[in-house]
Amino acid sequence: MKNPRKESSWVRNGFVVSVLLSGALASTASANMRVGRKVDGVFTGSLKAIPSAASIRLLAEDLEAAFPDLDLARLGPRDTLLIKATYEVENRSDQLIALPVRFIAVDIQDLAAELNGRSLTVSIVEAPGEKSECLARIARHRNAFLPVFYQDFLKQIRRLTGLDQEPDDRWLVKLSQIDASGLESASLFPRTIESPPEKDFPAAEFEIPLPPGKSRVVVTYRQRLYIEERNHGYFAVWPKKGVTGFDYLLYPAGSWDLDPGFRIRISVEVPDARGKKFFFKTWERPTIKCNLPLRPQEGRTKNIRMFKGDFAGLPADVLTFLLWVDKAAAAYVR
């Protein structure tokens, strides 16, 4: 016959052990919980002529972007996108024209510029004057493209500019009319991975000495990825839970005198996401979301796709290209 007092003691002790164990596990889980990774406000874009010259025309732009290897076990939040932008420019005068140009360059690496195969000297400067126009166009673009996905940004910019009480059909108009250059980028584009760049809104500037006739300007660099990690938890890692991609500003090209036949050709290389199950490699094809109708094509290997588009004129203010392998992303990328 069991001793009820002894059994009661075991029950109490077991309860205590259970509570302590569950508390320890909860503590461990809490220690491994972290803030979702986020990197926003990484903007680069087309060359802007400052000022434009009547005798110079922009004939075409070729934009090539290549995502890094999407190894789900090793991809880090500091991996970069490779960008190559090629501009066909014509100087219709009979004299050499030295034209200063600029493009917004937040969080870029390995920047290089060439004119007809010759290297150009580039400097990174603070460009607060570009901020107001950029914020207005980014806000208008995000509000039209994915208002639910970008709702935190849209609410924040309305609050910080004092437009949170304005009607939904009026605040974007008023945003384009106010000076927002004094707003710190970090207040609008939070980063949970690291501190924002030292320069609040940097731009790359250089001068292109254009001889008479047609010339080719090539700009190459590496750009930080946009990262939006969602539904993170115990041992969750980006990009398994979240979205990545990039924003490229198209509107600065409108500062040039565009040739009537101007075209922009866009090409984005996207590898399949590579993982491992037991001892075997696995491949997962990311889901794509873009605000422009880029056509999927076969890439240089069976696990790479190319997305291409050829447009007359500038098709939008901003090109946004997002991708993910997160099965839950359909619930929030809208």
Side-chain angles (χ1 to χ4, degrees):
M1 185 173 179
K2 292 182 180 179
N3 186 333
R5 183 174 298 176
K6 186 175 181 180
E7 184 177 12
S8 176
S9 175
W10 274 104
V11 170
R12 286 197 304 271
N13 292 339
F15 175 75
V16 172
V17 170
S18 176
V19 169
L20 290 175
L21 181 59
S22 61
L25 291 174
S27 177
T28 303
S30 297
N32 283 281
M33 292 285 284
R34 54 169 170 74
V35 176
R37 292 188 177 105
K38 185 176 179 69
V39 176
D40 194 4
V42 181
F43 301 124
T44 59
S46 304
L47 282 183
K48 178 178 183 179
I50 47 170
S52 60
S55 58
I56 294 178
R57 287 195 175 184
L58 186 60
L59 306 178
E61 177 181 354
D62 285 273
L63 173 66
E64 302 171 61
F67 277 86
D69 184 27
L70 299 179
D71 186 339
L72 295 180
R74 297 182 180 179
L75 183 64
R78 292 176 180 81
D79 283 20
T80 55
L81 180 86
L82 180 61
I83 296 274
K84 179 180 180 182
T86 303
Y87 305 88
E88 297 177 33
V89 186
E90 184 178 21
N91 178 359
R92 298 189 172 188
S93 75
D94 58 359
Q95 298 178 348
L96 183 144
I97 297 178
L99 183 69
V101 295
R102 172 193 298 157
F103 71 95
I104 296 170
V106 182
D107 258 3
I108 67 170
Q109 305 167 18
D110 305 328
L111 174 64
E114 293 182 350
L115 171 65
N116 299 327
R118 292 179 302 146
S119 297
L120 299 170
T121 301
V122 182
S123 60
I124 303 296
V125 300
E126 196 84 43
E130 300 287 350
K131 191 186 300 184
S132 291
E133 181 180 18
C134 181
L135 291 180
R137 291 181 184 260
I138 286 288
R140 186 165 59 242
H141 161 68
R142 290 184 169 184
N143 187 71
F145 179 41
L146 292 172
V148 175
F149 182 68
Y150 293 117
Q151 61 181 330
D152 290 344
F153 165 78
L154 296 171
K155 288 178 181 177
Q156 182 74 338
I157 195 170
R158 291 181 74 166
R159 186 182 68 81
L160 292 177
T161 55
L163 299 174
D164 48 336
Q165 300 302 316
E166 291 292 328
D168 289 344
D169 61 345
R170 287 291 302 163
W171 78 273
L172 286 168
V173 175
K174 290 200 172 184
L175 179 62
S176 64
Q177 299 169 349
I178 66 175
D179 180 10
S181 61
L183 284 179
E184 290 187 0
S185 299
S187 65
L188 289 167
F189 304 108
R191 300 188 182 197
T192 60
I193 297 175
E194 60 186 25
S195 300
E198 291 182 7
K199 295 182 185 295
D200 180 61
F201 210 75
E205 285 190 355
F206 54 97
E207 189 175 76
I208 48 177
L210 293 169
K214 295 180 180 179
S215 293
R216 176 167 293 196
V217 180
V218 180
V219 181
T220 58
Y221 55 91
R222 292 189 174 275
Q223 176 179 334
R224 286 282 297 276
L225 294 167
Y226 171 92
I227 296 172
E228 178 85 27
E229 189 177 55
R230 298 285 184 102
N231 302 325
H232 62 284
Y234 191 59
F235 292 136
V237 292
W238 173 83
K240 293 179 183 177
K241 294 191 176 183
V243 173
T244 190
F246 68 93
D247 296 298
Y248 183 86
L249 307 178
L250 297 169
Y251 71 83
S255 65
W256 298 75
D257 185 5
L258 298 181
D259 187 80
F262 171 85
R263 301 195 72 85
I264 180 168
R265 296 174 285 268
I266 299 171
S267 175
V268 183
E269 181 179 281
V270 181
D272 291 345
R274 185 172 73 250
K276 184 178 287 186
K277 191 170 184 179
F278 300 110
F279 299 104
F280 302 98
K281 283 184 180 179
T282 61
W283 300 90
E284 188 170 358
R285 183 139 283 189
T287 301
I288 302 300
K289 183 80 172 179
C290 182
N291 65 310
L292 296 181
L294 303 184
R295 302 179 305 276
Q297 300 179 14
E298 292 300 316
R300 48 193 172 84
T301 72
K302 67 177 182 178
N303 294 119
I304 290 179
R305 286 179 297 170
M306 301 297 297
F307 291 83
K308 295 187 176 184
D310 188 335
F311 305 94
L314 297 174
D317 282 348
V318 183
L319 163 66
T320 293
F321 194 99
L322 302 175
L323 61 86
W324 62 88
V325 295
D326 184 0
K327 298 296 188 295
Y332 58 81
V333 184
R334 53 192 175 88

